[in-house]
Structure formats: C-alpha cells, structure tokens
Coordinates of all heavy atoms in Angstrom, one line a residue:
M1 N 0.9 -1.2 0.0 CA 0.0 0.0 0.0 C 0.9 1.2 0.0 O 1.9 1.3 0.6 CB -0.9 0.0 1.2 CG -1.7 1.3 1.2 SD -3.0 1.7 2.5 CE -2.9 0.5 3.7
C2 N 0.5 2.3 -0.7 CA 1.3 3.5 -0.8 C 0.3 4.7 -0.5 O -0.7 4.8 -1.1 CB 1.8 3.6 -2.2 SG 2.8 5.1 -2.5
I3 N 0.7 5.4 0.5 CA -0.1 6.6 1.0 C 0.7 7.8 0.7 O 1.9 7.9 1.1 CB -0.5 6.5 2.5 CG1 -1.2 5.2 2.7 CG2 -1.3 7.7 2.9 CD1 -1.3 4.8 4.2
R4 N 0.2 8.8 0.0 CA 1.0 10.0 -0.2 C 0.3 11.2 0.5 O -0.8 11.4 0.5 CB 0.9 10.3 -1.8 CG 1.9 11.4 -2.1 CD 1.9 11.6 -3.7 NE 2.7 10.5 -4.4 CZ 4.0 10.4 -4.4 NH1 4.8 11.3 -3.8 NH2 4.5 9.4 -5.1
D5 N 1.2 11.9 1.3 CA 0.7 13.1 2.0 C 1.4 14.3 1.3 O 2.1 14.1 0.3 CB 0.9 13.0 3.5 CG 2.3 13.1 4.0 OD1 3.2 13.5 3.2 OD2 2.6 12.6 5.1
S6 N 1.3 15.4 1.8 CA 1.9 16.6 1.2 C 3.4 16.7 1.1 O 3.9 17.4 0.3 CB 1.3 17.8 1.8 OG 1.7 17.9 3.2
T7 N 4.1 16.0 2.0 CA 5.5 16.0 2.1 C 6.2 14.7 1.7 O 7.4 14.8 1.3 CB 5.9 16.5 3.4 OG1 5.5 15.5 4.4 CG2 5.4 17.8 3.8
K8 N 5.7 13.6 1.8 CA 6.4 12.4 1.6 C 5.4 11.2 1.3 O 4.3 11.2 1.6 CB 7.3 12.0 2.8 CG 6.6 11.8 4.1 CD 7.6 11.6 5.2 CE 7.4 12.6 6.2 NZ 8.3 12.6 7.3
T9 N 6.0 10.1 0.8 CA 5.2 8.9 0.5 C 5.4 7.9 1.7 O 6.5 7.8 2.1 CB 5.7 8.2 -0.7 OG1 5.5 9.2 -1.8 CG2 5.0 7.0 -1.1
V10 N 4.4 7.4 2.2 CA 4.4 6.4 3.2 C 4.2 5.0 2.5 O 3.1 4.8 1.8 CB 3.3 6.5 4.3 CG1 3.4 5.4 5.3 CG2 3.6 7.9 5.0
K11 N 5.1 4.1 2.6 CA 4.9 2.7 2.1 C 4.6 1.8 3.2 O 5.4 1.7 4.2 CB 6.3 2.3 1.4 CG 6.6 3.0 0.2 CD 6.0 2.4 -1.1 CE 6.4 3.2 -2.4 NZ 7.6 2.8 -2.9
E12 N 3.5 1.2 3.2 CA 3.0 0.4 4.3 C 3.0 -1.1 3.9 O 2.5 -1.4 2.8 CB 1.7 0.8 4.8 CG 1.2 0.1 6.0 CD -0.1 0.7 6.6 OE1 -0.5 1.8 6.1 OE2 -0.6 0.2 7.6
F13 N 3.5 -2.0 4.7 CA 3.6 -3.4 4.4 C 3.0 -4.2 5.6 O 3.3 -3.9 6.7 CB 5.0 -3.9 4.2 CG 5.7 -3.2 3.0 CD1 6.3 -1.9 3.2 CD2 5.7 -3.7 1.7 CE1 6.9 -1.3 2.2 CE2 6.2 -3.1 0.7 CZ 6.9 -1.9 0.9
E14 N 2.4 -5.3 5.3 CA 1.9 -6.3 6.3 C 2.9 -7.4 6.2 O 3.1 -8.0 5.1 CB 0.5 -6.8 6.0 CG -0.6 -5.7 5.8 CD -0.8 -4.9 7.2 OE1 -0.8 -5.5 8.3 OE2 -0.9 -3.7 7.1
M15 N 3.4 -7.8 7.4 CA 4.4 -8.9 7.5 C 4.0 -9.9 8.5 O 3.3 -9.6 9.5 CB 5.8 -8.4 7.7 CG 6.4 -7.5 6.7 SD 8.0 -6.8 7.2 CE 9.0 -8.3 7.3
T16 N 4.5 -11.1 8.4 CA 4.3 -12.1 9.4 C 5.6 -12.7 9.8 O 6.5 -13.0 9.0 CB 3.4 -13.3 8.9 OG1 2.2 -12.8 8.4 CG2 3.2 -14.3 10.0
A17 N 5.8 -12.8 11.1 CA 7.0 -13.5 11.7 C 6.5 -14.9 12.2 O 5.6 -14.9 13.0 CB 7.6 -12.7 12.8
K18 N 7.2 -15.9 11.7 CA 6.8 -17.3 12.1 C 8.1 -18.1 12.1 O 9.1 -17.6 11.7 CB 5.7 -17.9 11.2 CG 6.1 -17.9 9.8 CD 4.9 -18.4 9.0 CE 5.2 -18.3 7.5 NZ 4.1 -18.7 6.7
Q19 N 8.0 -19.3 12.5 CA 9.1 -20.1 12.8 C 10.2 -20.0 11.7 O 10.1 -20.5 10.7 CB 8.7 -21.6 12.9 CG 9.7 -22.5 13.5 CD 9.2 -23.9 13.8 OE1 8.3 -24.4 13.2 NE2 9.7 -24.4 14.9
W20 N 11.1 -19.2 12.0 CA 12.4 -18.9 11.4 C 12.2 -18.3 10.0 O 13.1 -18.5 9.1 CB 13.2 -20.2 11.3 CG 13.4 -20.7 12.7 CD1 13.7 -20.1 13.8 CD2 13.1 -22.1 13.1 NE1 13.7 -20.9 14.9 CE2 13.3 -22.2 14.5 CE3 12.7 -23.3 12.4 CZ2 13.2 -23.3 15.2 CZ3 12.6 -24.4 13.1 CH2 12.8 -24.4 14.5
E21 N 11.2 -17.5 9.8 CA 11.1 -16.7 8.6 C 10.2 -15.5 8.7 O 9.3 -15.4 9.6 CB 10.6 -17.5 7.4 CG 9.1 -17.8 7.5 CD 8.6 -18.6 6.3 OE1 8.9 -18.1 5.2 OE2 7.9 -19.6 6.5
F22 N 10.5 -14.4 8.0 CA 9.6 -13.3 7.8 C 8.9 -13.5 6.5 O 9.6 -13.6 5.4 CB 10.5 -12.0 7.8 CG 11.1 -11.6 9.1 CD1 12.4 -11.8 9.4 CD2 10.3 -11.2 10.1 CE1 13.0 -11.4 10.6 CE2 10.8 -10.8 11.4 CZ 12.2 -11.0 11.6
D23 N 7.6 -13.5 6.5 CA 6.8 -13.5 5.3 C 6.8 -12.2 4.8 O 6.3 -11.2 5.4 CB 5.4 -14.1 5.6 CG 4.5 -14.2 4.4 OD1 5.1 -14.1 3.3 OD2 3.4 -14.6 4.6
S24 N 7.3 -11.9 3.6 CA 7.7 -10.7 3.0 C 9.1 -10.5 3.3 O 9.5 -9.7 4.2 CB 6.9 -9.5 3.5 OG 5.6 -9.5 3.0
S25 N 10.0 -11.3 2.8 CA 11.4 -11.3 3.0 C 12.2 -10.3 2.2 O 13.3 -10.1 2.5 CB 12.0 -12.7 2.9 OG 11.9 -13.2 1.6
T26 N 11.5 -9.7 1.3 CA 12.1 -8.7 0.5 C 11.2 -7.5 0.4 O 10.0 -7.6 0.0 CB 12.5 -9.1 -1.0 OG1 13.3 -10.2 -0.9 CG2 13.2 -7.9 -1.7
I27 N 11.6 -6.3 0.8 CA 10.8 -5.1 0.8 C 11.6 -4.1 0.0 O 12.8 -3.8 0.2 CB 10.6 -4.5 2.3 CG1 9.9 -5.6 3.1 CG2 10.0 -3.2 2.3 CD1 9.9 -5.3 4.6
T28 N 10.9 -3.5 -1.0 CA 11.5 -2.4 -1.8 C 10.8 -1.2 -1.7 O 9.6 -1.1 -1.8 CB 11.5 -2.9 -3.3 OG1 12.1 -4.2 -3.4 CG2 12.2 -1.9 -4.2
V29 N 11.5 -0.1 -1.4 CA 11.0 1.2 -1.2 C 11.9 2.2 -2.0 O 13.0 1.9 -2.4 CB 10.9 1.7 0.2 CG1 9.9 0.7 0.9 CG2 12.2 1.7 0.9
N30 N 11.5 3.5 -2.1 CA 12.3 4.5 -2.7 C 13.0 5.4 -1.6 O 12.5 5.5 -0.5 CB 11.5 5.5 -3.6 CG 10.9 4.7 -4.8 OD1 11.6 4.0 -5.4 ND2 9.6 4.9 -5.0
E31 N 14.2 5.8 -1.9 CA 14.9 6.7 -1.0 C 14.0 7.9 -0.6 O 13.5 8.5 -1.5 CB 16.2 7.1 -1.6 CG 17.1 7.9 -0.6 CD 18.5 8.3 -1.2 OE1 18.7 8.0 -2.4 OE2 19.3 8.8 -0.5
G32 N 13.9 8.2 0.7 CA 13.1 9.3 1.2 C 11.7 8.8 1.7 O 11.0 9.6 2.3
D33 N 11.3 7.6 1.3 CA 10.0 7.1 1.7 C 9.9 6.9 3.2 O 10.9 6.5 3.8 CB 9.7 5.7 1.1 CG 9.3 5.9 -0.4 OD1 9.0 6.9 -0.9 OD2 9.2 4.8 -1.1
R34 N 8.8 7.2 3.8 CA 8.5 6.8 5.1 C 8.0 5.4 5.1 O 7.1 5.0 4.3 CB 7.4 7.7 5.7 CG 7.2 7.5 7.2 CD 8.2 8.1 8.1 NE 7.9 7.8 9.4 CZ 8.8 7.6 10.3 NH1 10.1 7.8 10.1 NH2 8.5 7.3 11.6
V35 N 8.6 4.4 5.8 CA 8.3 3.0 5.8 C 7.5 2.7 7.0 O 7.9 3.0 8.1 CB 9.5 2.1 5.7 CG1 9.2 0.7 5.6 CG2 10.3 2.6 4.4
K36 N 6.4 2.0 6.9 CA 5.6 1.5 8.0 C 5.4 0.0 7.8 O 4.8 -0.5 6.8 CB 4.2 2.2 8.1 CG 3.4 1.8 9.2 CD 2.1 2.7 9.2 CE 1.2 2.3 10.4 NZ 0.0 3.1 10.5
L37 N 5.9 -0.8 8.7 CA 5.8 -2.3 8.7 C 4.9 -2.7 9.8 O 5.1 -2.4 11.0 CB 7.2 -2.9 8.9 CG 8.2 -2.4 7.9 CD1 9.6 -3.1 8.3 CD2 7.9 -2.8 6.5
N38 N 3.8 -3.4 9.5 CA 3.0 -4.0 10.6 C 3.3 -5.5 10.6 O 3.0 -6.3 9.7 CB 1.5 -3.8 10.2 CG 1.1 -2.3 10.0 OD1 1.4 -1.6 11.0 ND2 0.6 -1.9 8.9
I39 N 4.0 -6.0 11.6 CA 4.6 -7.3 11.7 C 3.8 -8.0 12.8 O 3.9 -7.7 14.0 CB 6.0 -7.3 12.0 CG1 6.8 -6.3 11.1 CG2 6.6 -8.7 11.9 CD1 8.2 -6.0 11.5
K40 N 3.2 -9.2 12.4 CA 2.5 -10.0 13.4 C 3.3 -11.3 13.7 O 3.7 -12.0 12.7 CB 1.2 -10.4 12.9 CG 0.4 -11.3 13.9 CD -1.0 -11.5 13.5 CE -1.7 -12.2 14.7 NZ -3.1 -12.4 14.4
S41 N 3.6 -11.6 14.9 CA 4.3 -12.8 15.3 C 3.1 -13.8 15.6 O 2.2 -13.5 16.4 CB 5.1 -12.6 16.6 OG 5.5 -13.9 17.1
I42 N 3.2 -15.0 14.9 CA 2.1 -15.9 15.0 C 2.4 -17.0 16.0 O 1.5 -17.8 16.3 CB 1.7 -16.5 13.7 CG1 2.7 -17.2 13.0 CG2 1.1 -15.3 12.9 CD1 2.3 -18.0 11.8
D43 N 3.7 -17.1 16.5 CA 3.9 -18.3 17.4 C 4.7 -18.0 18.7 O 4.4 -18.3 19.7 CB 4.5 -19.5 16.6 CG 5.7 -19.0 15.7 OD1 6.2 -17.9 15.9 OD2 6.0 -19.8 14.8
V44 N 5.9 -17.3 18.5 CA 6.7 -17.0 19.7 C 7.3 -15.6 19.6 O 7.0 -14.9 18.7 CB 8.0 -18.1 19.8 CG1 7.5 -19.5 19.9 CG2 8.9 -17.9 18.6
T45 N 8.1 -15.2 20.6 CA 8.7 -13.9 20.6 C 9.9 -13.9 19.6 O 10.8 -14.7 19.6 CB 9.2 -13.5 22.0 OG1 8.1 -13.5 22.9 CG2 9.8 -12.2 22.0
Y46 N 9.9 -12.8 18.8 CA 11.0 -12.6 17.8 C 11.5 -11.2 18.1 O 10.9 -10.4 18.7 CB 10.5 -12.7 16.4 CG 10.0 -14.1 16.0 CD1 8.7 -14.4 15.9 CD2 10.9 -15.2 15.9 CE1 8.2 -15.7 15.6 CE2 10.5 -16.4 15.5 CZ 9.2 -16.7 15.4 OH 8.7 -17.9 15.1
G47 N 12.5 -10.9 17.4 CA 13.0 -9.4 17.3 C 13.0 -9.1 15.8 O 13.0 -9.9 15.0
F48 N 13.0 -7.8 15.6 CA 13.1 -7.2 14.2 C 14.1 -6.1 14.3 O 13.8 -5.1 14.9 CB 11.7 -6.8 13.7 CG 11.8 -6.3 12.2 CD1 11.7 -7.2 11.2 CD2 12.0 -5.0 11.9 CE1 11.8 -6.8 9.9 CE2 12.0 -4.5 10.7 CZ 12.0 -5.5 9.6
T49 N 15.2 -6.2 13.5 CA 16.2 -5.2 13.6 C 16.7 -4.9 12.1 O 16.9 -5.8 11.3 CB 17.4 -5.7 14.4 OG1 17.0 -5.9 15.7 CG2 18.6 -4.7 14.4
I50 N 16.8 -3.5 11.9 CA 17.5 -3.1 10.7 C 18.5 -2.0 11.3 O 18.2 -0.9 11.6 CB 16.6 -2.4 9.7 CG1 15.5 -3.2 9.3 CG2 17.4 -2.0 8.4 CD1 14.4 -2.6 8.4
S51 N 19.7 -2.4 11.5 CA 20.7 -1.6 12.3 C 21.0 -0.3 11.6 O 21.1 0.8 12.3 CB 22.0 -2.4 12.3 OG 21.9 -3.6 13.0
E52 N 21.1 -0.2 10.3 CA 21.4 1.0 9.6 C 20.4 2.1 9.8 O 20.6 3.3 9.5 CB 21.6 0.7 8.1 CG 22.8 -0.2 7.8 CD 22.5 -1.7 7.9 OE1 21.3 -2.1 8.3 OE2 23.4 -2.5 7.7
F53 N 19.1 1.7 10.2 CA 18.0 2.7 10.4 C 17.6 2.8 11.8 O 16.6 3.4 12.1 CB 16.8 2.4 9.4 CG 17.2 2.5 8.0 CD1 17.5 1.4 7.2 CD2 17.2 3.8 7.4 CE1 17.8 1.5 5.9 CE2 17.6 3.9 6.0 CZ 17.9 2.8 5.3
G54 N 18.4 2.3 12.7 CA 18.2 2.3 14.1 C 16.9 1.7 14.6 O 16.3 2.0 15.6
V55 N 16.5 0.6 13.8 CA 15.3 -0.1 14.1 C 15.6 -1.4 14.9 O 16.4 -2.1 14.6 CB 14.6 -0.5 12.8 CG1 13.4 -1.5 13.1 CG2 14.1 0.7 12.0
S56 N 14.9 -1.5 16.1 CA 15.0 -2.7 16.9 C 13.8 -2.8 17.7 O 13.5 -2.0 18.6 CB 16.2 -2.6 17.8 OG 16.4 -3.8 18.5
K57 N 13.0 -3.8 17.4 CA 11.7 -4.1 18.1 C 11.5 -5.5 18.5 O 12.0 -6.4 17.8 CB 10.5 -3.7 17.2 CG 10.4 -2.3 16.8 CD 9.7 -1.5 17.9 CE 9.3 -0.1 17.4 NZ 8.5 0.6 18.2
T58 N 10.8 -5.7 19.6 CA 10.4 -7.0 20.0 C 9.0 -7.3 19.5 O 8.2 -6.5 19.6 CB 10.5 -7.1 21.6 OG1 11.8 -6.9 22.0 CG2 10.1 -8.5 22.0
L59 N 8.9 -8.5 18.9 CA 7.6 -8.9 18.4 C 7.0 -10.0 19.3 O 7.5 -11.1 19.4 CB 7.8 -9.5 17.0 CG 8.6 -8.7 16.0 CD1 8.8 -9.4 14.7 CD2 8.0 -7.3 15.8
S60 N 5.9 -9.7 20.0 CA 5.3 -10.6 20.9 C 4.3 -11.5 20.2 O 3.6 -11.1 19.3 CB 4.6 -9.8 22.0 OG 5.5 -9.0 22.7
P61 N 4.2 -12.8 20.7 CA 3.3 -13.7 20.0 C 1.9 -13.2 20.0 O 1.3 -12.8 21.1 CB 3.5 -15.0 20.8 CG 4.4 -14.7 22.0 CD 4.8 -13.3 21.8
G62 N 1.2 -13.4 18.9 CA -0.2 -13.0 18.7 C -0.5 -11.6 18.6 O -1.7 -11.2 18.6
Q63 N 0.5 -10.7 18.6 CA 0.4 -9.3 18.4 C 1.0 -8.8 17.2 O 1.9 -9.3 16.7 CB 1.0 -8.6 19.7 CG 0.3 -9.0 21.0 CD 0.9 -8.2 22.2 OE1 1.7 -7.3 22.0 NE2 0.5 -8.6 23.4
T64 N 0.5 -7.6 16.7 CA 1.0 -6.9 15.6 C 1.8 -5.8 16.2 O 1.3 -4.9 16.9 CB -0.1 -6.5 14.7 OG1 -0.7 -7.6 14.1 CG2 0.5 -5.7 13.5
T65 N 3.1 -5.6 15.8 CA 3.9 -4.5 16.2 C 4.1 -3.6 14.9 O 4.5 -4.2 13.9 CB 5.2 -5.1 16.7 OG1 5.0 -5.9 17.8 CG2 6.2 -4.0 17.1
T66 N 4.0 -2.3 15.1 CA 4.3 -1.4 14.0 C 5.7 -0.8 14.1 O 6.1 -0.4 15.2 CB 3.3 -0.3 14.0 OG1 2.0 -0.8 13.9 CG2 3.5 0.7 12.9
V67 N 6.4 -0.9 13.0 CA 7.8 -0.4 12.9 C 7.8 0.7 11.9 O 7.3 0.5 10.8 CB 8.8 -1.5 12.5 CG1 10.2 -1.0 12.2 CG2 8.8 -2.7 13.5
E68 N 8.2 1.9 12.2 CA 8.3 3.0 11.3 C 9.6 3.7 11.2 O 10.3 3.8 12.3 CB 7.2 4.1 11.7 CG 5.8 3.6 11.6 CD 4.8 4.7 11.8 OE1 4.7 5.6 10.9 OE2 4.2 4.7 12.9
F69 N 10.1 4.0 10.1 CA 11.3 4.7 9.8 C 11.4 5.4 8.5 O 10.5 5.1 7.6 CB 12.5 3.8 10.0 CG 12.6 2.6 9.0 CD1 13.3 2.8 7.9 CD2 11.8 1.4 9.2 CE1 13.4 1.7 6.9 CE2 11.9 0.4 8.3 CZ 12.6 0.5 7.2
T70 N 12.3 6.3 8.3 CA 12.5 6.9 7.0 C 13.6 6.2 6.3 O 14.8 6.2 6.9 CB 12.7 8.4 7.1 OG1 11.6 9.0 7.7 CG2 12.9 9.0 5.8
A71 N 13.4 5.8 5.1 CA 14.5 5.1 4.3 C 15.3 6.3 3.6 O 15.1 6.5 2.4 CB 13.9 4.2 3.2
N72 N 16.2 6.8 4.4 CA 16.9 8.0 3.9 C 18.3 7.8 3.2 O 19.1 8.7 3.0 CB 17.0 9.0 5.1 CG 17.8 8.4 6.2 OD1 18.2 7.3 6.2 ND2 17.9 9.2 7.3
K73 N 18.6 6.5 2.9 CA 19.8 6.2 2.3 C 19.7 5.0 1.4 O 19.2 4.0 1.8 CB 21.0 6.0 3.2 CG 20.8 5.1 4.4 CD 21.8 5.2 5.4 CE 21.4 4.6 6.7 NZ 22.1 4.9 7.8
A74 N 20.1 5.1 0.1 CA 19.9 4.1 -0.9 C 20.8 2.9 -0.6 O 21.9 3.1 0.0 CB 20.2 4.6 -2.3
G75 N 20.4 1.7 -0.9 CA 21.3 0.5 -0.8 C 20.5 -0.7 -0.4 O 19.2 -0.7 -0.4
M76 N 21.1 -1.8 -0.1 CA 20.5 -3.0 0.3 C 20.9 -3.3 1.7 O 22.0 -3.2 2.1 CB 21.0 -4.2 -0.6 CG 20.5 -4.1 -2.0 SD 21.0 -5.5 -3.0 CE 20.3 -6.9 -2.2
Y77 N 19.9 -3.6 2.6 CA 20.1 -3.7 4.0 C 19.4 -5.0 4.4 O 18.3 -5.4 4.0 CB 19.5 -2.5 4.8 CG 20.1 -1.2 4.2 CD1 19.4 -0.5 3.3 CD2 21.3 -0.7 4.7 CE1 19.9 0.8 2.8 CE2 21.8 0.4 4.2 CZ 21.1 1.2 3.3 OH 21.6 2.4 2.8
T78 N 20.1 -5.7 5.4 CA 19.5 -6.9 5.9 C 18.7 -6.6 7.1 O 19.2 -5.9 8.1 CB 20.7 -7.9 6.2 OG1 21.4 -8.2 5.1 CG2 20.1 -9.2 6.8
F79 N 17.5 -7.2 7.2 CA 16.7 -7.1 8.5 C 16.8 -8.6 9.0 O 16.9 -9.6 8.3 CB 15.3 -6.6 8.3 CG 14.4 -7.2 7.4 CD1 13.7 -8.4 7.7 CD2 14.2 -6.7 6.1 CE1 12.8 -8.9 6.8 CE2 13.4 -7.2 5.2 CZ 12.6 -8.4 5.6
F80 N 16.8 -8.7 10.3 CA 16.9 -10.0 11.0 C 16.3 -10.1 12.3 O 15.9 -9.1 12.9 CB 18.4 -10.3 11.1 CG 19.2 -9.3 11.9 CD1 19.4 -9.5 13.3 CD2 19.8 -8.2 11.3 CE1 20.1 -8.6 14.0 CE2 20.5 -7.2 12.1 CZ 20.7 -7.4 13.4
C81 N 16.1 -11.3 12.8 CA 15.5 -11.6 14.1 C 16.7 -11.4 15.1 O 17.8 -11.9 15.0 CB 15.0 -13.0 14.2 SG 14.4 -13.4 15.9
S82 N 16.4 -10.5 16.1 CA 17.4 -10.2 17.1 C 17.2 -10.8 18.5 O 17.8 -10.5 19.5 CB 17.5 -8.7 17.3 OG 16.2 -8.1 17.5
V83 N 16.2 -11.8 18.5 CA 15.9 -12.5 19.7 C 16.1 -14.0 19.5 O 15.6 -14.5 18.4 CB 14.4 -12.3 20.2 CG1 14.0 -13.2 21.3 CG2 14.2 -10.9 20.5
Q84 N 16.9 -14.7 20.3 CA 17.2 -16.1 20.0 C 15.8 -16.8 20.1 O 15.2 -16.9 21.1 CB 18.2 -16.6 21.1 CG 18.5 -18.1 20.9 CD 19.2 -18.4 19.7 OE1 20.1 -17.7 19.2 NE2 18.9 -19.5 19.0
C85 N 15.5 -17.4 19.0 CA 14.1 -18.0 18.8 C 14.1 -19.5 18.5 O 13.1 -20.0 18.2 CB 13.4 -17.2 17.7 SG 14.1 -17.2 16.1
G86 N 15.3 -20.1 18.5 CA 15.3 -21.5 18.3 C 16.4 -21.9 17.2 O 17.2 -21.1 16.8
A87 N 16.3 -23.2 16.8 CA 17.3 -23.8 15.9 C 17.5 -23.0 14.6 O 18.6 -23.0 14.1 CB 17.0 -25.2 15.6
G88 N 16.5 -22.4 14.0 CA 16.6 -21.7 12.7 C 16.8 -20.3 12.9 O 16.7 -19.5 11.9
H89 N 17.1 -19.8 14.1 CA 17.3 -18.3 14.3 C 18.2 -17.6 13.3 O 17.9 -16.7 12.8 CB 17.7 -18.1 15.7 CG 18.1 -16.8 16.1 ND1 17.3 -15.7 16.2 CD2 19.4 -16.2 16.2 CE1 17.9 -14.6 16.4 NE2 19.2 -14.9 16.4
S90 N 19.3 -18.3 13.1 CA 20.3 -17.5 12.2 C 19.9 -17.4 10.8 O 20.4 -16.5 10.1 CB 21.7 -18.3 12.3 OG 21.5 -19.6 11.7
S91 N 18.9 -18.1 10.3 CA 18.4 -17.9 8.9 C 17.2 -17.1 8.8 O 16.7 -16.8 7.7 CB 18.1 -19.3 8.4 OG 17.0 -19.9 9.0
M92 N 16.8 -16.4 9.9 CA 15.5 -15.6 10.0 C 15.9 -14.2 9.6 O 16.3 -13.4 10.5 CB 14.9 -15.7 11.3 CG 13.5 -15.1 11.3 SD 12.6 -15.5 12.8 CE 11.1 -14.5 12.5
K93 N 16.0 -13.9 8.3 CA 16.3 -12.6 7.8 C 15.7 -12.3 6.5 O 15.2 -13.1 5.9 CB 17.9 -12.5 7.8 CG 18.6 -13.5 7.0 CD 20.1 -13.3 7.2 CE 20.8 -14.7 6.8 NZ 22.1 -14.7 7.2
G94 N 15.9 -11.0 6.1 CA 15.4 -10.6 4.8 C 16.1 -9.4 4.3 O 17.1 -9.0 4.9
Q95 N 15.6 -8.8 3.2 CA 16.3 -7.7 2.6 C 15.4 -6.5 2.5 O 14.3 -6.6 2.0 CB 16.9 -8.1 1.2 CG 18.0 -9.0 1.1 CD 19.3 -8.4 1.7 OE1 19.6 -7.3 1.3 NE2 19.9 -9.1 2.5
L96 N 15.9 -5.3 2.8 CA 15.3 -4.0 2.5 C 16.1 -3.4 1.4 O 17.3 -3.2 1.5 CB 15.3 -3.1 3.7 CG 14.9 -1.7 3.5 CD1 13.4 -1.6 3.1 CD2 15.2 -0.8 4.7
I97 N 15.4 -3.1 0.3 CA 16.1 -2.5 -0.9 C 15.5 -1.1 -0.9 O 14.4 -0.9 -1.1 CB 15.8 -3.2 -2.2 CG1 16.3 -4.7 -2.1 CG2 16.4 -2.5 -3.4 CD1 15.8 -5.6 -3.2
V98 N 16.5 -0.1 -0.9 CA 16.1 1.3 -1.0 C 16.7 1.8 -2.3 O 17.9 1.8 -2.4 CB 16.6 2.1 0.2 CG1 16.2 3.6 0.1 CG2 16.2 1.5 1.6
Q99 N 15.8 2.2 -3.2 CA 16.2 2.6 -4.6 C 16.4 4.1 -4.6 O 15.8 4.8 -4.0 CB 15.2 2.1 -5.6 CG 15.0 0.7 -5.6 CD 13.9 0.2 -6.5 OE1 12.9 1.0 -6.9 NE2 14.0 -1.0 -7.0

C-alpha cells in the first residue's frame, strides 16, 4: 500500500514472523519514503532489527507490532531476528532495498 501526503510517501507493508522466517522477506522502497511495517508474530517472541536505520523491536506472540522509519539512504540492507528464537534463528532474515 502507498499513501501520499503533502510532504512524503508512506509505504506500508503487512508482514508475518513465524518459525524462522519473515513472510515478506524482500521489501523495496524509494529513498526518502517513510516506511511502515505491521509485523505479526504468530507463534513465539521474535526481534526485528535493521541496524542501519536504528530499528530494533520485540515482536510478541499473537500481536502486531508497528515499525516506522524513513528510508533516507539508498542501498541493500539486511533485516533479521534479534531474539534467540530456536534452531533456525540464524536464517531468519530478509532484505530491505532502498532505490
């Protein structure tokens, strides 16, 4: 979903965190966009981190957590689970592409 206000574009995404994966593992936005991620954990506690944008949130089971930031630098960035969540923890990651 794309919402435009008078000063910037807000790109909004619905995501799911579940056993060792983020559903929506690639997110593409434009440089300068305001990014809003609504992430629902469906089973256990996870973390969601994008270090380059100062994002670090805990995702509680059964709840949707909103993560917002401005994609103010172009590049490819890895987002990942920052809470030890089990055997597949190290593979729980995705890509943010800022064009």
Side-chain angles (χ1 to χ4, degrees):
M1 177 174 11
C2 182
I3 303 167
R4 191 173 285 284
D5 69 22
S6 60
T7 58
K8 61 185 122 183
T9 298
V10 177
K11 294 270 181 87
E12 187 169 356
F13 300 87
E14 303 297 319
M15 297 176 66
T16 302
K18 57 186 177 182
Q19 194 169 39
W20 309 312
E21 71 175 313
F22 290 105
D23 183 3
S24 292
S25 61
T26 303
I27 298 169
T28 304
V29 298
N30 294 314
E31 186 174 5
D33 285 348
R34 185 80 184 147
V35 180
K36 183 175 182 181
L37 308 174
N38 300 307
I39 311 169
K40 182 171 185 174
S41 169
I42 62 171
D43 46 17
V44 299
T45 299
Y46 297 106
F48 182 85
T49 298
I50 309 173
S51 301
E52 295 83 358
F53 294 98
V55 172
S56 183
K57 293 278 190 170
T58 299
L59 311 175
S60 298
Q63 296 183 8
T64 298
T65 301
T66 300
V67 175
E68 293 186 75
F69 62 95
T70 299
N72 58 3
K73 49 192 165 196
M76 291 181 61
Y77 306 96
T78 299
F79 56 83
F80 58 93
C81 178
S82 53
V83 172
Q84 182 60 41
C85 60
H89 168 73
S90 63
S91 65
M92 191 169 176
K93 54 188 160 191
Q95 288 291 314
L96 169 67
I97 302 167
V98 182
Q99 302 176 332

